[in-house]
Structure formats: structure tokens, C-alpha cells
Amino acid sequence: MVPGSTSKHDRSESFSSNVSVSNSNLGRLSRTVHSTANSLMTGELPAQYHNAMTDIARRPQFQRRLFSVKNSRTPSELVKSFQRDDIRYHAVTQIPEEVLRDIPAQSSQFSLFQGFEARQHGPDLKQITSVSDAHPTRSVLRKDEEDISQRLDLLEIRKDLAANEIKEIDQRIEHMQKMRKIVFDRVAKLEQEEFQLENTLRQVRTRMAEMGEDDEPEKAESKAIEEEDHDFVEVSTPTSTGSDEVSAGGLMSQSIYGKLKASTYKAKKPRSASRRKTMPTLQQFYAPGDEIRTIEAHTESVTSLDFDIPFGTMVSAALDDTVKVWSLSQGEQIGSLEGHNASVKCLQVEDNYVMTGSMDATLKLWDLNNIDNDEDLLVDSYEAHLGEITALHFYDNTLVSGSADKTIRQWDMQTGKCLQTLDVLWASAQSTTNVPLGDSKWRAKQTTVGQGGDFVGALQCYDAALASGTADGIVRLWDLRSGQVIRSLIGHTGAVTCLQFDDMHLATGSQDRSIRIWDLRTGSIFDAFAYESPITSLHFDARRVVSTNTENTVKIYDREVEKHWSCGAGETDPSASICEIARYREGYLVEGRRDGKIGVWAC
């Protein structure tokens, strides 16, 4: 073998070793590139590094450096060729696209530096005094001209900056309004869930009460037999006075004493107060006068409506002979009350019970606790009046009703019996005979019915106290224990159509177009105001008096600031239908119109 030459075998071994070294280097390169790329591209580094690495990797120069792999270059040298400083520089100096998208459009013609100069170094206009000099030189005037021009420029800059601040504030207000609407909708959804849970809780409590009555059937049956025997003995005992005798129809006036024990009638369903665990707050976040919703409720004029709480349950009646139950939170009908043979003229909602008075001369009590179960909602029916029911009110277990038969009747809601009948004409005649001759002529003239209103226009009772407003324009305060009028409030010259009282004041509305607020302690007028049309309904609390007066808006009187204002569809639409009745609670107003629509407003 010639010295200095290599054999074929040695050359093959050298080639194999070079290939293995290259493969090893390529493997190390692959692992190094993979780890380096992970360190640069994973979420542990800021997004600017990702974007910068993407831009650099797209450059042809970088790609040539990356793929020019030689055996003489180790993986560490190849990684150094990536130039981390270059990547870091681009990552720091690059502005992300999401930041560029949030840059507001330039609305000012001046820069921030100009604005800073105008605010910090703007001269005072009061320093210019050379114009008022007697003999100024031309150079002085030229200098004043330059100063005034400079100051005008600075004022223009300041004015532009102030205008831009106003625009920014408007943008922020708009943004906050959008955020407020989002949160407002969230509160509305939560309140709807609350109402659903309240209804479910009420149903559970009702079922528990029914199950509790049936726990001991044998004991309950024996107790009922004993009560029947006891009642039979008491009923067979003759009464002590003839004035307490009751006719078969229950039409005669009678005392309320001794009637509860003598009756063997049992209520079909016990009444129990069903108080809510939660109270709505959404109406507080509406501006006064905002329309919450309009409900296409009836096909004819709404005659009466009432609701329990804001966004709660509402019951409405109309001349189309229908009585409907609504969910105010959803604005949807959830049931109907069917049983009357004519239109319902008055109703009241209390503790999830509804009392309705109809033109068929009957009153009916309804239980809304099981309205979702398609059960019979009728609890009891009260029949004794000879004319249509025009007014009613119930408190606890006492119900009073006024009718076109010129009587007021008191009912016991536990027994369903009429306890006494109050004859308004008789009471009026009695009071007329006890007044001086000068007043008797006026009172006799006022007691003639025919002024267009219902004979008994409004009623409200509390315990043994009863207030009634009649067509003669007199508001009478009765004592239900004796059945006598204890005070007459004289002042209205037209039929009394509505009234409401609390512990101190009594508010009355009349067809004489006035609303009077009486002091119950003295019987004198506390406040009074008049409108241009007859008053048809009113509702008041310590803050507001809400009334309707045959116009297309609801009249509101703020008692705190002594200010009158209107709310309703007529404020924006002069062709809106006339409001017949309105109910108000805690800044939440519901009004019924002649076209059958019901409007819900914040007030």
C-alpha cells in the first residue's frame, strides 16, 4: 500500500462516521430548534414576542440562515444565528393590532403639546392695556396685534380641547348607558326568577296547609260533629231582642253581634296571608314617566284593575265581560276568572286573593295560589244585593260592598253571610233632620240622585271603620259596630267616584273635577286641587296622588314638592285613548284605557 494513501475501507468508514455525526447534529438541531421555538411561541411570553417571531420568520434572509446547515456549524451556533436581540427589539417596538384598533379617531386639529402650551403658558387677556393709551406708537400697536393674535390662537386651542373633553364625556356616558342596560336586563331576569320561585313556594305552602288539615281525619270528624251539635243548640235558642231577627233572604238590617257563633256555614277554603319573601326593586331604576310596557288586554273599555306589587300579579276587567290575570314581569296573561254573568265593575287584589263585583249583582272570591295548576279558582260567592255592584273593599275577613240598590252591605268572609245592611238614603234622611233649616234645604237638594255617577261610588273599610262616597257628593264615615254614621264630610258638589284613606288623611275624587284631601282627626280639608274634567279614579301614598279624569294621561301630584305633572301615552300621542282607571304603588303605575289597552309606567 502506498504510503499516504487511504484504503477504500477507510474511506467508507470515514463517510459513515461523517453521516452519523451529521445525523446526530441534525437531531440535536431539531431538539434545539423545537425547544427554542416553544420558548418563543408558547403563552408564557407576551403576545408581542409571538408577533415579532412571526414577522422575522417570514423574512427571506432569516430563512436562508436557518436552512443553510453545514457540518461545520454546531447547533449552538445555529441558534445564535437566530439573533434573539433582533427578536426582542421587534417585540418591544411592535404595537399589537388589538391596541391599534382601540386608538380613537383624531377629532382635534391641535396636538397635545399645543394644548399643554395653551394651558400652561397662555397669557392673560387682561394684561393688554396699550390699546387704551392716548398716543400709542405703531410698533406698540403691532406688538399688541401679535399678542392678541397669539392669544386668540391659544384660546382656540383651549376651546377645542374643552369641546373634545365634552365629546369624550358623552362617549363615556353612552358606554355607561350600554353597561347599565346590560345590568338592568340582568336584574329583570333575576326578578322573574324570584317571582317564579315565590309562586312555587306559595303552592308548596298551600299543599302543606291542606295536608296538615288531613293528618288526623278521625279527630277532625269528631270535632266537626261536636261543633254541629253545639251550633244546633245555639241556633234553636230564641233571640233576646226582635231587632236581631234575620229574614230568609238576609235583606234586613241586623247587628254584627252574635252572628259568628250562630252560623253553621263553613268557608270552602280558609284564607291565610301569603307574604312574599322578596320585594321587587326594578321600578326604582326607571326615570319618572318612562313607559315599561303596553299590554293589549281587552277588546273594550277597561272598567277595573288592581295589582299586588310592582312586576307582580295584575287582574283586569272590562266591558267585554272578561276578567283576566296577568304577570306584570312578563306582560303575559296567565289565567282568567270565569263565573260572572255580566261585566265586572270593581275588584280588589290582596294576599293573592281577588274579590270581584259584577253587574249581575254578585260578588265572588277567587284564590290565585293554584292558577298555574288549572284548578277551580272560585272560593265563594256572595249574593244578596238587588242591583249591580259598583264598589267593594275587603280587609282581613270583613267585606263591604256598595250597589245600585242604594245599600251598603257588610259580609263575613269566613262564613259568607251578610252581617248587616246600611241604607244610605235612611242615613241621609236621619242626618238631614238633625241639621238647621238653612242646611236642610241644601242637603235635600244634594241627595237627589241623577248627576251621572254610581249611587255608591267608592268604599274603603279598616277594622270597624268604613268610608263611603255617594252620588249626593257626601263622604260618610260609618262605625260598623253600630251601623251608624259618625261624621259626614261635606264639600263636593258632584258625585264622589273614588276615595282612599290612611291613618291621617282621606283623599276623595268627584265629578265636580276636584280632589280633596281631608284630615281625619279634625274632619276639615287639608288640601284640595281641581282639574278640567271629572275625576274617575285616584290612588295615593305619602308621596304622590295619582288620578284619572277622562283624559289620555294620568295626572300626578307630587305632595313633597307640590308639583303637578302628567304621565301616559297622551304625552307623546295626542290620539291615545282615554285613561279610565289607574293604580299606583312604590313608583309603579298601571292604567287602563277605553280601547282595552293597559299601560305600565314608572312614576
Side-chain angles (χ1 to χ4, degrees):
M1 180 179 294
V2 180
S5 62
T6 57
S7 63
K8 184 177 181 180
H9 177 70
D10 294 338
R11 288 197 301 272
S12 62
E13 289 181 355
S14 175
F15 177 76
S16 298
S17 62
N18 292 335
V19 171
S20 61
V21 170
S22 298
N23 291 335
S24 177
N25 290 336
L26 288 174
R28 294 171 58 191
L29 172 64
S30 175
R31 290 191 297 273
T32 305
V33 170
H34 185 268
S35 60
T36 304
N38 282 337
S39 65
L40 292 174
M41 304 302 293
T42 54
E44 298 177 358
L45 296 176
Q48 289 88 336
Y49 281 89
H50 302 168
N51 299 333
M53 186 63 188
T54 302
D55 294 340
I56 295 175
R58 291 175 180 174
R59 299 179 181 178
Q61 183 180 2
F62 174 79
Q63 294 177 0
R64 287 195 300 270
R65 270 202 320 271
L66 179 63
F67 293 107
S68 60
V69 180
K70 297 182 180 178
N71 294 336
S72 60
R73 303 183 63 181
T74 63
S76 60
E77 294 175 347
L78 185 61
V79 171
K80 289 179 180 179
S81 67
F82 291 168
Q83 297 183 358
R84 261 182 100 87
D85 293 338
D86 189 17
I87 298 174
R88 187 179 295 107
Y89 170 77
H90 282 278
V92 173
T93 57
Q94 185 188 38
I95 300 178
E97 294 184 1
E98 57 271 14
V99 176
L100 293 175
R101 285 196 299 266
D102 295 336
I103 295 178
Q106 182 69 21
S107 58
S108 176
Q109 57 181 336
F110 303 104
S111 65
L112 293 177
F113 180 75
Q114 289 175 318
F116 177 78
E117 290 292 330
R119 288 179 180 275
Q120 298 296 326
H121 305 290
D124 191 358
L125 291 175
K126 294 181 181 180
Q127 295 178 359
I128 300 177
T129 58
S130 59
V131 178
S132 61
D133 293 344
H135 303 286
T137 62
R138 187 177 183 85
S139 60
V140 173
L141 291 176
R142 183 177 292 112
K143 185 176 182 302
D144 287 345
E145 179 186 9
E146 293 176 355
D147 290 342
I148 293 175
S149 298
Q150 181 185 2
R151 291 169 187 179
L152 286 175
D153 294 339
L154 294 177
L155 288 177
E156 183 68 20
I157 295 173
R158 292 168 120 183
K159 184 177 70 173
D160 186 78
L161 292 176
N164 288 332
E165 289 182 5
I166 294 177
K167 293 179 181 178
E168 291 179 2
I169 292 173
D170 291 340
Q171 292 175 357
R172 293 176 184 177
I173 292 175
E174 183 181 359
H175 176 70
M176 294 303 295
Q177 289 291 344
K178 293 179 180 178
M179 296 299 298
R180 183 184 185 277
K181 186 178 183 305
I182 293 174
V183 180
F184 188 88
D185 294 340
R186 191 185 308 163
V187 174
K189 188 176 296 184
L190 292 175
E191 287 200 348
Q192 289 184 7
E193 294 179 3
E194 281 184 351
F195 293 142
Q196 293 176 0
L197 290 177
E198 288 282 358
N199 293 332
T200 304
L201 178 61
R202 191 181 302 109
Q203 294 175 8
V204 171
R205 287 176 175 174
T206 303
R207 293 182 179 179
M208 289 176 59
E210 293 175 353
M211 293 176 61
E213 294 177 356
D214 299 333
D215 286 340
E216 299 177 357
E218 296 179 358
K219 183 177 180 180
E221 184 177 358
S222 61
K223 185 177 180 180
I225 294 175
E226 292 176 0
E227 290 178 354
E228 289 179 359
D229 294 338
H230 179 68
D231 292 339
F232 177 78
V233 173
E234 288 190 353
V235 171
S236 61
T237 303
T239 56
S240 57
T241 60
S243 61
D244 288 339
E245 293 181 357
V246 185
S247 64
L251 298 179
M252 294 181 59
S253 179
Q254 52 182 311
S255 172
I256 65 173
Y257 301 107
K259 297 299 181 294
L260 295 178
K261 294 182 180 179
S263 176
T264 59
Y265 181 88
K266 290 183 173 56
K268 298 180 180 178
K269 201 167 189 179
R271 297 183 62 249
S272 60
S274 177
R275 296 184 178 179
R276 293 180 178 266
K277 293 177 65 65
T278 59
M279 294 300 294
T281 58
L282 195 64
Q283 75 279 4
Q284 302 175 5
F285 304 105
Y286 283 99
D290 285 351
E291 181 181 7
I292 299 176
R293 65 168 44 90
T294 298
I295 303 175
E296 301 282 347
H298 299 275
T299 58
E300 295 188 31
S301 178
V302 178
T303 56
S304 183
L305 61 85
D306 196 10
F307 65 97
D308 50 4
I309 58 174
F311 297 98
T313 302
M314 178 186 69
V315 181
S316 64
L319 291 178
D320 56 7
D321 297 347
T322 60
V323 183
K324 300 181 180 181
V325 185
W326 304 87
S327 171
L328 288 175
S329 61
Q330 301 175 356
E332 299 177 353
Q333 182 180 351
I334 58 177
S336 59
L337 307 179
E338 300 177 357
H340 284 290
N341 298 323
S343 299
V344 169
K345 293 196 64 175
C346 50
L347 62 88
Q348 179 185 348
V349 178
E350 193 75 29
D351 290 337
N352 224 41
Y353 282 85
V354 182
M355 182 67 69
T356 56
S358 172
M359 299 175 71
D360 62 5
T362 64
L363 300 104
K364 294 184 182 297
L365 177 65
W366 312 82
D367 183 4
L368 301 183
N369 287 302
N370 298 319
I371 194 168
D372 297 330
N373 300 332
D374 296 331
E375 298 182 7
D376 186 12
L377 305 179
L378 181 61
V379 177
D380 205 351
S381 183
Y382 307 87
E383 302 177 3
H385 279 292
L386 303 178
E388 64 181 34
I389 309 298
T390 58
L392 65 86
H393 188 269
F394 70 91
Y395 173 80
D396 197 12
N397 290 322
T398 300
L399 166 67
V400 290
S401 59
S403 171
D405 60 10
K406 302 179 178 57
T407 62
I408 299 174
R409 294 181 181 270
Q410 178 189 359
W411 309 80
D412 184 357
M413 298 179 66
Q414 288 290 338
T415 63
K417 293 296 183 180
C418 177
L419 299 180
Q420 64 177 333
T421 301
L422 307 177
D423 193 329
V424 180
L425 290 179
W426 180 84
S428 177
Q430 291 295 111
S431 62
T432 303
T433 58
N434 295 328
V435 296
L437 183 61
D439 275 347
S440 63
K441 294 181 180 179
W442 184 86
R443 295 288 291 278
K445 181 180 179 180
Q446 292 297 319
T447 52
T448 58
V449 181
Q451 302 179 25
D454 295 324
F455 187 88
V456 181
L459 293 172
Q460 184 180 350
C461 66
Y462 179 83
D463 198 11
L466 168 65
S468 67
T470 51
D472 57 4
I474 301 176
V475 179
R476 295 177 175 85
L477 304 181
W478 304 73
D479 186 350
L480 293 177
R481 294 169 297 185
S482 61
Q484 301 294 322
V485 177
I486 59 176
R487 177 172 291 174
S488 296
L489 305 179
I490 301 174
H492 285 295
T493 59
V496 178
T497 57
C498 46
L499 62 82
Q500 181 189 350
F501 66 81
D502 55 14
D503 54 347
M504 294 181 59
H505 298 106
L506 167 66
T508 58
S510 169
Q511 288 192 350
D512 62 6
R513 302 174 300 173
S514 69
I515 292 178
R516 299 172 183 262
I517 301 178
W518 310 79
D519 192 332
L520 291 176
R521 297 166 295 183
T522 62
S524 60
I525 295 179
F526 175 79
D527 195 3
F529 42 90
Y531 293 103
E532 297 179 355
S533 303
I535 310 298
T536 57
S537 71
L538 70 81
H539 219 185
F540 83 99
D541 60 8
R543 184 179 179 184
R544 290 190 173 97
V545 179
V546 176
S547 62
T548 57
N549 60 334
T550 60
E551 296 183 7
N552 55 11
T553 58
V554 179
K555 306 302 180 183
I556 301 171
Y557 174 65
D558 195 319
R559 302 174 66 181
E560 294 181 347
V561 298
E562 298 182 355
K563 178 182 177 182
H564 292 266
W565 57 287
S566 299
C567 176
E571 286 293 297
T572 57
D573 183 11
S575 62
S577 182
I578 292 177
C579 299
E580 288 288 346
I581 187 171
R583 287 292 179 266
Y584 165 81
R585 282 186 180 89
E586 302 174 9
Y588 192 84
L589 172 67
V590 180
E591 46 91 5
R593 309 171 193 168
R594 285 187 179 177
D595 59 1
K597 295 181 181 179
I598 294 177
V600 184
W601 304 81
C603 100

